[in-house]
Amino acid sequence: QQQVKQSPQSLIVQKGGISIINCAYENTAFDYFPWYQQFPGKGPALLIAIRPDVSEKKEGRFTISFNKSAKQFSLHIMDSQPGDSATYFCAARRGGNTPLVFGKGTRLSVIA
Amino acid sequence: DVKVTQSSRYLVKRTGEKVFLECVQDMDHENMFWYRQDPGLGLRLIYFSYDVKMKEKGDIPEGYSVSREKKERFSLILESASTNQTSMYLCASRTTVQGNEQFFGPGTRLTVL
């Protein structure tokens, strides 16, 4: 049973465009929703995270939009750059000593 | 800076061998995790540890065991390696004191022949 469903599996965006990756979850006990970025040959690194008490969080060109009623959250990358080409994972967890549950990842390619 | 290191970047082993993957973190984190990453399957949790000598099964523990004798070190053991355990293995750690960020190591690409 996949607790966090991520789409699309891959995405090609023109330089300067907007990249959008979506995730949906089932467990209403989740209270922390991060996005991780992974470059080839590296481990994933935290990009941005949100809690369900806000609907949007922005850090530079990266924005998380959160819809609690729909149990969905998404990552928007504005003015996408070739350096943003990476694999992106959404995740979620409950409180306490619980592990993150990850989506299957989206491979983003930003082409010039 | 938090640093999570893994003993090998690349490892080639034979079917049936016992394999040890070592992970060390230098930030006194209580929680440590082992994931495997496969194309199209994302990150799947194998085992995690809340603290020293504590361990919990993740989603895919079959064929694996773990050891956490010291707080900074979390070892993943493949008791008898099989070809379907060929994968990228990622270790991560997290503090319970503040924040939720999990810090990942660079990964070990294991090939079982």
Side-chain angles (χ1 to χ4, degrees):
Chain A
Q1 180 187 358
Q2 192 181 349
Q3 296 192 58
V4 179
K5 293 184 179 181
Q6 183 172 346
S7 63
Q9 196 170 10
S10 63
L11 183 61
I12 299 174
V13 173
Q14 292 277 351
K15 180 182 175 182
I18 302 174
S19 304
I20 302 174
I21 305 170
N22 300 298
C23 281
Y25 64 97
E26 290 297 325
N27 190 340
T28 55
F30 288 150
D31 67 355
Y32 173 71
F33 302 88
W35 284 89
Y36 277 76
Q37 180 188 53
Q38 184 182 30
F39 293 107
K42 304 283 188 182
L46 180 65
L47 182 63
I48 186 173
I50 198 168
R51 291 199 178 271
D53 52 346
V54 297
S55 60
E56 186 175 282
K57 183 174 181 180
K58 185 175 182 179
E59 291 184 1
R61 297 183 294 109
F62 301 91
T63 300
I64 298 179
S65 297
F66 186 82
N67 186 330
K68 190 173 182 178
S69 60
K71 293 186 286 185
Q72 295 176 347
F73 59 110
S74 59
L75 176 69
H76 296 236
I77 306 174
M78 311 300 288
D79 186 27
S80 298
Q81 299 297 313
D84 297 330
S85 297
T87 299
Y88 292 82
F89 294 95
C90 63
R93 67 180 285 260
R94 296 177 284 115
N97 278 330
T98 59
L100 284 171
V101 177
F102 285 88
K104 292 188 175 183
T106 297
R107 177 174 278 187
L108 171 65
S109 298
V110 181
I111 57 175
Chain B
D1 266 0
V2 174
K3 195 166 185 182
V4 179
T5 56
Q6 296 184 228
S7 51
S8 306
R9 293 301 304 271
Y10 300 94
L11 208 54
V12 180
K13 296 292 181 181
R14 296 266 178 210
T15 302
E17 280 193 77
K18 190 168 186 177
V19 181
F20 293 86
L21 302 182
E22 305 286 342
C23 175
V24 177
Q25 50 93 4
D26 66 357
M27 282 299 292
D28 203 37
H29 285 176
E30 294 81 9
N31 298 168
M32 295 188 75
F33 310 85
W34 275 107
Y35 292 87
R36 65 176 281 178
Q37 181 175 12
D38 300 287
L41 297 179
L43 300 169
R44 293 181 293 167
L45 183 66
I46 304 172
Y47 267 97
F48 61 105
S49 170
Y50 296 132
D51 212 329
V52 179
K53 297 192 185 295
M54 300 183 74
K55 59 185 178 183
E56 293 285 338
K57 292 181 180 179
D59 299 318
I60 51 166
E62 296 79 18
Y64 304 94
S65 62
V66 291
S67 173
R68 190 150 179 223
E69 295 297 317
K70 293 185 177 181
K71 193 173 187 179
E72 68 270 19
R73 187 180 297 270
F74 192 34
S75 303
L76 180 69
I77 303 154
L78 286 65
E79 297 290 342
S80 177
S82 63
T83 55
N84 63 13
Q85 292 179 309
T86 292
S87 185
M88 171 68 83
Y89 290 88
L90 290 161
C91 175
S93 72
R94 183 182 74 206
T95 181
T96 58
V97 175
Q98 62 178 20
N100 286 284
E101 183 175 355
Q102 272 181 214
F103 295 87
F104 281 85
T108 295
R109 183 162 294 282
L110 172 68
T111 301
V112 183
L113 302 175

